[in-house]
Amino acid sequence: SATTVVGFVCQKKAVQRPARWTFGDMVFTPLWMLGFVLTVVLPAPCQVLAYSLAPMSLTAPLGGISVALNVVVAPLLLGERWQRWPDWPATALITSGTVLTTACGSHTEVGRDSGQLEGLFEAPLFIVSLASLVLSGAVCMSYMSWRRADIELSALARPENPKICDVFLPAYVSAASGCIANIFLKLVGELLATHGEAWQIA
């Protein structure tokens, strides 16, 4: 969570500065690349290790810590204003949910071999759920791309009170992407835990 929040801060600072090489909203500067490493590259092996050692019901909700850290770090490092509403109540609810789900979730890991994992991935419920996540995320991204100019104007006009729809769409895409990524990271973690001897260096 700490590396993710710091990485986001680096990327936010990077896009606020002029850059020679850009692609969409990405700027290929050392600061932006550092943020990419901190938010994408570095957390991946840590998440795989965590998922191989503990149930997903315990580790996944801990991502809510990122929200609490962001509320504290963003105003300090980016000069953003503290928002008592709705940031503080929302952060309190997310933190409470993180604590409760971690405390009350399953503390027993169920080990599965590759055959059992393959069976879970072929289950109709998993296929329908995954397809729904991918399709709904794609629809949201297409809608945001289509209305990009209007969304940008709305954000500039209402920086402290954005429209709920404009906030919800990127949040949903991020959550759906994170859900899919966590599932496959958990798969890698399970395979490493089950077939660890195949990864050992003689």
Side-chain angles (χ1 to χ4, degrees), residues 172-188:
Y172 180 82
V173 172
S174 177
S177 302
C179 181
I180 295 171
N182 283 338
I183 289 173
F184 285 96
L185 287 173
K186 177 63 175 178
L187 170 64
V188 175

Side-chain angles (χ1 to χ4, degrees), residues 57-136:
S57 59
L58 292 181
T59 54
L62 293 176
I65 296 176
S66 300
V67 178
L69 289 176
N70 187 66
V71 170
V72 176
V73 171
L76 295 177
L77 299 182
L78 296 175
E80 298 180 356
R81 291 185 58 186
W82 300 89
Q83 300 289 340
R84 294 184 178 180
W85 178 265
D87 289 356
W88 286 110
T91 301
L93 289 174
I94 292 172
T95 304
S96 300
T98 298
V99 173
L100 289 175
T101 53
T102 303
C104 302
S106 174
H107 289 71
T108 303
E109 177 71 302
V110 178
R112 296 182 175 88
D113 57 28
S114 57
Q116 292 173 320
L117 291 172
E118 183 179 354
L120 291 175
F121 272 70
E122 293 176 349
L125 179 59
F126 174 79
I127 295 175
V128 171
S129 300
L130 182 62
S132 299
L133 276 176
V134 173
L135 180 60
S136 59

Side-chain angles (χ1 to χ4, degrees), residues 139-150:
V139 169
C140 290
M141 290 181 65
S142 299
Y143 180 79
M144 287 189 293
S145 178
W146 175 51
R147 292 195 60 249
R148 177 173 181 173
D150 294 335

Side-chain angles (χ1 to χ4, degrees), residues 48 187-202:
V48 170
L187 170 64
V188 175
E190 286 281 354
L191 291 175
L192 286 175
T194 305
H195 305 285
E197 66 277 1
W199 298 84
Q200 294 180 358
I201 300 176

